[in-house]
Amino acid sequence: MSVEVKLPTMLRAAADGAPSATVDGSTVGEVLRSLESAHPGLAGQLLTGDGSLHKFVNVYLNDDDVRYLDRLDTAVRAGDVVSILPAVAGGSL
Amino acid sequence: MSELARDDVASLVLTQSQLDEVVAACLRAVPDEGCGLVAGDPMTGVVRRVYPTRNAAGSSRVYTVDPLDHLRAERDAEASGSSVIGVFHSHTHTDPYPSPTDVDQAPDPTWHYVIVSLRLEAASLRSYRIAGGVVTEEAVVVTD
C-alpha cells in the first residue's frame, strides 16, 4: 500500500527537492527500502549496510518513534504518515 | 538553483522578542544545556517561530533535541507555510562557538546553528553555518 514519507530538508535534494514522497510498503522497513529504490541518492543515508536503521536518523510512524514499536518490522497501513528526522545533537564538550 | 541561493544566506534575522525567547529557553534549562528549533524562510534566514524543545540528553555538557518535540515543530512549521531552518542550544560554561561535538553532529548544512553562551552574567548569542566540518559565523540581525 502507499504511504506518505515526510523528508527532512537535508534529504530533499536527493528526492528532487520534494518535502515528501509517496511509496509502497507494508512495513516501515519496506517503505524505507522503496524510498531508497525510488531515490538512489538516499541510499545509505537511512539504512546501514546490514539493513538496520541508521543511528542518526529518527523515524516516526504517525506519532510514534518506530524504535519503540517493532522498528523496521512495524506494520504500516494505508493513510499512515512516516516522518524521517535527523537526530539533532551537540554540546559544549 | 535553490541550493545556491541558500548558500548565499549570510545572516539569521529575528525579532528582539524571538531572541529573548531563545535566551529564556536556555535559562529555563539551567543547569542543563537548553535547546530548541527555529522555523522560518530558508531562502532569507528570516525566523518566523521559535520552538523550545526538551533536551533529551538531560545534561549540562551535551544536548539532544527531543525527537517528538522535533516532529511537532516540523508539523507546526509546515502547517504555517515555513520550515525548520536551524537549531539553538546553550553552552552553560563556555563561549558561544561550536564545539567539536557540534561540528561532528551538525545534521544539515543548510541550517543555522545558534549558540547561546551563559558563561557570563549577560547571555551572548552567535549564529553559524556548519557544512562539511567547516564553521562560518554569520551575522545575527535583530529587528523590532
Side-chain angles (χ1 to χ4, degrees):
Chain A
M1 68 210 64
S2 293
V3 298
E4 182 184 15
V5 183
K6 292 190 175 293
L7 302 169
T9 50
M10 62 185 288
L11 296 182
R12 291 177 190 171
D16 306 320
S20 64
T22 301
V23 295
D24 290 331
S26 58
T27 63
V28 169
E30 286 181 18
V31 165
L32 297 183
R33 284 189 288 276
S34 296
L35 186 67
E36 286 192 345
S37 297
H39 302 290
L42 294 175
Q45 301 201 55
L46 305 173
L47 302 171
T48 61
D50 65 6
S52 57
L53 191 58
H54 201 295
K55 69 176 179 177
F56 295 120
V57 174
N58 295 312
V59 176
Y60 275 78
L61 175 64
N62 303 318
D63 289 342
D64 295 309
D65 186 332
V66 302
R67 287 192 175 91
Y68 300 108
L69 299 173
D70 291 325
R71 294 177 173 260
L72 296 178
D73 294 330
T74 304
V76 298
R77 293 177 298 184
D80 281 343
V81 177
V82 173
S83 301
I84 299 172
L85 298 169
V88 184
S92 58
L93 276 180
Chain B
M1 181 63 197
S2 62
E3 289 299 314
L4 282 175
R6 248 182 234 132
D7 289 346
D8 287 340
V9 172
S11 60
L12 182 75
V13 183
L14 73 178
T15 64
Q16 183 64 51
S17 88
Q18 288 168 336
L19 188 152
D20 292 344
E21 201 176 343
V22 168
V23 172
C26 293
L27 289 171
R28 277 199 304 274
V30 170
D32 292 345
E33 288 195 1
C35 57
L37 298 163
V38 292
D41 184 342
M43 306 304 287
T44 60
V46 173
V47 173
R48 293 212 189 108
R49 180 101 193 251
V50 172
Y51 297 97
T53 64
R54 289 170 287 181
N55 176 359
S59 162
S60 64
R61 305 186 73 181
V62 291
Y63 79 95
T64 299
V65 169
D66 181 89
L68 185 57
D69 290 351
H70 186 174
L71 178 70
R72 288 173 174 148
E74 286 277 356
R75 284 183 181 162
D76 189 79
E78 185 185 348
S80 61
S82 63
S83 12
V84 172
I85 61 170
V87 57
F88 68 86
H89 77 281
S90 61
H91 284 179
T92 55
H93 293 92
T94 58
D95 289 330
Y97 190 81
S99 68
T101 308
D102 292 329
V103 176
D104 286 346
Q105 301 192 17
D108 190 326
T110 69
W111 272 14
H112 303 260
Y113 292 87
V114 177
I115 303 178
V116 177
S117 173
L118 304 177
R119 185 171 72 86
L120 302 175
E121 193 167 332
S124 59
L125 180 149
R126 299 275 188 278
S127 186
Y128 303 87
R129 309 308 285 262
I130 303 175
V134 177
V135 177
T136 308
E137 184 168 3
E138 63 179 357
V140 176
V141 178
V142 182
T143 59
D144 289 337

